[in-house]
Amino acid sequence: MKTPSKTFDNQFGEILELIKSVRLRALKFVNTELIDLYWNVGRFISDNCSKNNWGENTVENLSRYIIEKEPDIKGFSPQNLWRMKQFFETYCQNEKLSPLVREITWSNNLLIISKTKDLSEKEFYLRLSIKENYSK
């Protein structure tokens, strides 16, 4: 004789799996969009540093401006803005790695940038992180 919970598992398990699957896809989509945002902010800062001689004060002013205009937006401190610039500059010339960075979280990207010495080492850890993400 089936217990009520076993009956529910059989009947409702498929719906639960569907919910989990969609939630995971949504999280991956949001992550990709955030990485694209950070890439574009990094490009904007990089371009302005080289073309318009932006420096620390200008990036600090940009951070203050963002926080002043949109106080609920988090993650745009001067330090994070410089990280976005570094992120963009690290991968912008590399057609092989630039698509890979969108597949992992911002935290993992920052970890890889800060702990690796060259592009081949970065590629190794990018691919390893992607593999771990898809095995979950």
Side-chain angles (χ1 to χ4, degrees):
M1 180 170 160
K2 289 185 178 181
T3 63
S5 65
K6 285 287 185 196
T7 301
F8 288 151
D9 282 347
N10 292 340
Q11 292 178 350
F12 303 150
E14 189 176 333
I15 294 299
L16 188 57
E17 287 305 312
L18 181 62
I19 292 167
K20 289 179 183 180
S21 172
V22 169
R23 286 182 72 197
L24 183 59
R25 286 196 323 262
L27 287 171
K28 286 181 180 182
F29 176 78
V30 168
N31 180 70
T32 300
E33 290 298 308
L34 281 173
I35 298 298
D36 282 344
L37 170 64
Y38 300 155
W39 179 274
N40 288 321
V41 170
R43 177 187 6 226
F44 181 83
I45 294 169
S46 179
D47 289 349
N48 278 286
C49 283
S50 60
K51 293 176 186 168
N52 299 318
N53 296 318
W54 277 23
E56 281 185 44
N57 288 338
T58 308
V59 172
E60 285 177 19
N61 288 335
L62 172 60
S63 175
R64 268 191 238 110
Y65 178 83
I66 293 168
I67 292 166
E68 207 174 271
K69 296 291 182 180
E70 295 291 335
D72 293 334
I73 293 178
K74 305 292 181 217
F76 292 90
S77 67
Q79 183 180 17
N80 280 341
L81 292 173
W82 286 117
R83 285 182 182 135
M84 291 172 203
K85 176 184 178 285
Q86 178 188 19
F87 171 67
F88 170 76
E89 290 175 349
T90 298
Y91 297 111
C92 69
Q93 299 294 323
N94 193 310
E95 292 178 14
K96 187 163 108 178
L97 297 185
S98 60
L100 297 180
V101 300
R102 289 158 174 80
E103 307 254 347
I104 65 172
T105 65
W106 179 240
S107 299
N108 282 348
N109 271 303
L110 293 179
L111 192 61
I112 289 169
I113 287 174
S114 68
K115 301 290 184 187
T116 56
K117 295 179 181 92
D118 58 38
L119 286 175
S120 63
E121 197 175 358
K122 287 175 183 19
E123 180 179 2
F124 173 81
Y125 286 106
L126 278 167
R127 291 188 185 283
L128 183 63
S129 293
I130 291 167
K131 187 177 180 181
E132 287 176 2
N133 281 347
Y134 284 107
S135 66
K136 291 180 182 177

